[in-house]
Amino acid sequence: MFTITVNGTSHQVEADPEMPLLWVLRDRLDMTGTKYGCGIAQCGACTVHLDGQPVRACQTRIGDVGEAKVTTIEGVSGKVAEAVQTAWRGLDVVQCGYCQSGQIMSAIGLLTDNPKPSDADIDGAMDGNVCRCGTYQRIRAAIHEASRTLG
């Protein structure tokens, strides 16, 4: 039995310690905003925040979460999250949408640590977030737009 805090709420979860956090979120807690893409931490669809840092939930074992606070796309809030989500909508970033929760989680992580990223900073932070629809230019533009609104 594990106790994890997700989006500010404590949950008791019965799971094998090797179970990926992704499956705990989706199958045990019914939080389906975090997506399964590849299972090997290469596509970024499963990105969540662990104590504010982006991690791949498909490769983070529930047994390793410990006291860390988990934030999913369902629970993001605050100035940076609002700026990113507003820019995403304003620039119509989403095409199919499957990867977008992971893209947004990575963008929030980037702008939290670096509110004025260069293109190279964005490329580095977003590397490993795969968009099958190829909306990379709109993603970069939305991150720049969110950065501008943050001041």
Side-chain angles (χ1 to χ4, degrees), residues 92-100 103 129-141:
D92 292 322
V93 170
V94 178
Q95 192 163 318
C96 85
Y98 196 82
C99 69
Q100 294 304 307
Q103 301 278 1
N129 283 84
V130 176
C131 176
R132 290 168 181 88
C133 300
T135 64
Y136 299 111
Q137 297 294 9
R138 292 194 309 246
I139 290 167
R140 183 188 290 153

Side-chain angles (χ1 to χ4, degrees), residues 40-116:
I40 57 172
Q42 297 297 305
C43 75
C46 68
T47 303
V48 298
H49 291 177
L50 203 59
D51 282 342
Q53 295 301 307
V55 299
R56 304 298 197 242
C58 72
Q59 293 293 300
T60 302
R61 300 176 311 172
I62 186 65
D64 294 333
V65 172
E67 301 289 317
K69 308 283 189 260
V70 178
T71 305
T72 69
I73 191 70
E74 293 94 342
V76 294
S77 62
K79 186 177 176 180
V80 175
E82 282 182 30
V84 169
Q85 291 172 323
T86 298
W88 241 251
R89 285 188 300 272
L91 296 175
D92 292 322
V93 170
V94 178
Q95 192 163 318
C96 85
Y98 196 82
C99 69
Q100 294 304 307
S101 62
Q103 301 278 1
I104 288 169
M105 296 301 287
S106 292
I108 292 168
L110 166 63
L111 290 172
T112 298
D113 291 341
N114 180 359
K116 297 294 179 199

Side-chain angles (χ1 to χ4, degrees), residues 24-36:
V24 170
L25 294 171
R26 292 183 60 80
D27 296 346
R28 304 289 165 90
L29 300 179
D30 200 31
M31 295 181 183
T32 57
T34 304
K35 304 299 184 200
Y36 173 80

